[in-house]
Amino acid sequence: MAARILVLNTGSSSIKYELIDVGSRERAARGLVERVGEEEGRLTHHAGDGRGRPYTCERAFPGHAEALAAVLEAFEKAGPELDPVAVGHRVVHGGTRFREAVLVDDGVIAAIEELAPLAPLHNPVNLAGVRVARDAFPGVPQVAVFDTAFHRTLPPEAYTYAVPGEWGVRRFGFHGTSCAYVSRRAAELLGRAPEETNLIVLHLGNGASATAIEGGRSVDTSMGLTPLEGLVMGTRSGDVDPALLGYLKRARGLDVEEAERALSRKGGLLALAGSGDMREVRRRAAGGDARARLALEVYTRRIRKYVGAYCALLGRVDAVVFTGGVGEHDAATRAGALAGMDRFGLALDAERNAADASGERFVSADGSATAVLVVPTDEEWEIARQALALL
Amino acid sequence: MAARILVLNTGSSSIKYELIDVGSRERAARGLVERVGEEEGRLTHHAGDGRGRPYTCERAFPGHAEALAAVLEAFEKAGPELDPVAVGHRVVHGGTRFREAVLVDDGVIAAIEELAPLAPLHNPVNLAGVRVARDAFPGVPQVAVFDTAFHRTLPPEAYTYAVPGEWGVRRFGFHGTSCAYVSRRAAELLGRAPEETNLIVLHLGNGASATAIEGGRSVDTSMGLTPLEGLVMGTRSGDVDPALLGYLKRARGLDVEEAERALSRKGGLLALAGSGDMREVRRRAAGGDARARLALEVYTRRIRKYVGAYCALLGRVDAVVFTGGVGEHDAATRAGALAGMDRFGLALDAERNAADASGERFVSADGSATAVLVVPTDEEWEIARQALALL
Ligand SMILES: Nc1ncnc2c1ncn2[C@@H]1O[C@H](COP(=O)(O)OP(=O)(O)O)[C@@H](O)[C@H]1O
Ligand SMILES: Nc1ncnc2c1ncn2[C@@H]1O[C@H](COP(=O)(O)OP(=O)(O)O)[C@@H](O)[C@H]1O
């Protein structure tokens, strides 16, 4: 039987998993545990190609340990056999310590823990996944793959904030696993060596980021010290005035932690349109909702500004690459973000862009100096690849 | 005798003033009171064309009232006669209430006071200037000219942050008085009607901002709710991750007010290079100081990104206009910010740019689709003009 890698993406109240055959890249199984820690949890497990009826299980999962136990149970009851050669974990923040994926040992766990203040919503729960998987698969190598690692190549002028040095802060950047995958695929589609390819990658999902890639290396990116900076996201504000939190404290007595939580969870499309889900925002806008329309304008304008900024940094841009749920499926976002940019050699083909297509594709006009690509991301496969490379 | 307007720019520890002949635009006098509120204050007063020896006065000025009294004394002793038809005041923040310059009355004073939480470092001291001038010139019209007013034309998609609506915040933009002056002059130099002129104005002084102007109207600008957002400045950070202040609180126990003060007064070039003065930073960089070199790279890269972003917003750009102490005098900043942007139709002429010139001038290459201009700003004249228009 072929070697398989189990990929775990542990969120605060969920575990997403895929069992990936590293030879064929096929999924042997995939599933999701939702509402971990709540009263009514739910596990949905698809064996094989995912076309059959899923195995489900509804009960309370008090913690990630119980949730992972339920995943093992699902494999036992519904197959396939769960015998991974490694477990790959998504870890959001690698700080300056982790410049690439690593085999997990106690020292690595301690180091990821130390990074918690930088990613309080993510690193602790990512680690919870690592811990329960170590117990569940004794002797199987665990690999941590960091969202920040792809951005290790940022030059100092890109990662340096103009703030007191003793604060010890810098831009890290996130969505790196997605960028690594998507930029490699884009170079292949363009028929260019990655080292000779300049790209702007727009990862537009619930989180959203823009990354400037020069010769295959990340040279600037919109997310910063944390994943809050940059583009407008589903529930995150992206860029705001740095004095906002001080103002809210002064003028409204709003505590900084509370304000930051709101910027993370009640900002973005949710704040502007009442929903953080792009499909719902589009529906409301189509129904004449003025707030939703403004939200879309704010959202696409921010993307356009980053595209312009990164064009100015890169000079030559071989392709703008859209990925993530919105980037892959929302033709109107792509059109809005790039409208009128033909004078920068960046022209969409309206028909290709609007086509009800999926999968990798060119959506630029034939004469466009800069290609525009849609490349569905595959972070799980990228995690499996990076894990495999460490075995 | 010709009508003259007294223009006052009151800072926390200073008063700058000019007495301007509105017919000829000539300065009948100008001066500066420094270190107001400190133990040893100093007044320097130039009568006439400013070529003679200045009148000076060194003593403590406990408050702005004493400082203004010393200014009146200087006019009495050194001339010219001080008989303004109006006093024009620079006021930093006009909020949404003041969309243009206004004649000051008690209601206006109260409204400016209410805006203090938005500009705690500026509005209260600007008002102090208004109050003492009202007492000193009873019956003379006082006019408040707002730094925000030029940006009243920002469209909602530019002024809306993706944050909870109940916070009542938005982008305002500053340096508007400078933008108004400089953009009008730029249109004249280009021989275009302002309504048909698209510009990117880079005001690079101690504060620094970029503004996108479409058909003479501000459509986007880098400063936001407060003058802290955007470009790297002398002592201000400009853009940072919105989660920075929360992180500093969590990880270092740093209070939000303290952190904001540091972002305002100990950020920017000062944080990166140990000096907030561009001439000093250049000196250090020329002497081989690696921190100063990095500071310059961070500084120019940020400008370049905003130029790219605003090119993407505007489509056609008739000119990029540099102003402010750095913009007017620092050829290396202009060159660094625009290097390699010929593919966007934006090319400097190296020789013109480096020429030891002053005054209004073209520094672009002859073939450049977008002109590059240096236009020394004249905020005092603009304040006088706007005050005059209200009489
Ligand atoms: N067909 C579609 N049209 C527009 N938006 C879509 C479409 N499908 C998914 N999206 C949007 O993609 C976003 C989720 O992106 P996704 O990449 O799946 O999320 P995550 O960042 O959590 O991985 C949601 O805003 C969703 O509305
Ligand atoms: N010849 C010069 N070369 C480089 N920088 C200069 C030069 N002259 C002034 N500057 C810089 O301009 C900045 C002050 O700009 P200015 O517009 O005068 O200030 P403000 O914003 O307070 O009005 C300082 O950083 C100063 O070093």
Side-chain angles (χ1 to χ4, degrees), chain A residues 119-321:
Chain A
L121 301 180
H122 295 111
N123 272 28
V125 298
N126 300 156
L127 260 191
V130 173
R131 288 204 176 94
V132 299
R134 274 180 120 192
D135 290 344
F137 304 98
V140 174
Q142 311 280 325
V143 177
V145 177
F146 300 94
D147 250 17
T148 46
F150 183 72
H151 302 294
R152 66 180 169 273
T153 52
L154 290 179
E157 60 272 27
Y159 69 65
T160 304
Y161 292 114
V163 305
E166 63 267 25
W167 287 355
V169 296
R170 52 163 284 174
R171 179 183 306 283
F172 290 103
F174 300 86
H175 280 161
T177 310
S178 175
C179 281
Y181 174 79
V182 158
S183 61
R184 204 173 51 243
R185 285 301 306 149
E188 280 167 26
L189 290 167
L190 294 168
R192 300 181 71 100
E195 315 83 69
E196 285 164 11
T197 309
N198 292 357
L199 301 170
I200 297 173
V201 172
L202 299 166
H203 180 118
L204 311 174
N206 286 310
S209 66
T211 297
I213 295 174
E214 189 170 33
R217 300 156 67 94
S218 172
V219 294
D220 214 334
T221 189
S222 59
M223 287 176 168
L225 175 72
T226 78
L228 188 53
E229 191 175 354
L231 300 179
V232 176
M233 318 190 200
T235 68
R236 280 176 248 164
S237 63
D239 298 328
V240 298
D241 190 307
L244 174 62
L245 270 58
Y247 169 74
L248 292 172
K249 179 105 189 270
R250 261 194 317 279
R252 311 180 68 95
L254 197 66
D255 179 70
V256 56
E257 275 98 352
E258 208 179 316
E260 189 188 330
R261 212 172 307 123
L263 289 177
S264 261
R265 301 186 182 181
K266 293 180 186 164
L269 291 174
L270 178 60
L272 295 175
S275 165
D277 187 295
M278 180 54 88
R279 278 165 298 193
E280 178 60 20
V281 179
R282 288 268 170 223
R283 261 192 294 276
R284 293 183 184 192
D289 179 334
R291 283 178 70 210
R293 287 192 181 166
L294 175 60
L296 294 170
E297 284 183 63
V298 174
Y299 182 89
T300 50
R301 185 183 181 92
R302 190 80 58 84
I303 299 170
R304 175 198 277 288
K305 285 167 75 170
Y306 272 93
V307 170
Y310 291 166
C311 282
L313 287 186
L314 292 172
R316 194 197 80 224
V317 182
D318 297 308
V320 172
V321 191

Side-chain angles (χ1 to χ4, degrees), chain A residues 337-359:
Chain A
L338 302 183
M341 288 183 69
D342 355 358
R343 70 180 65 224
F344 304 108
L346 228 174
L348 276 179
D349 180 274
E351 211 168 301
R352 281 177 201 152
N353 184 52
D356 187 13
S358 67

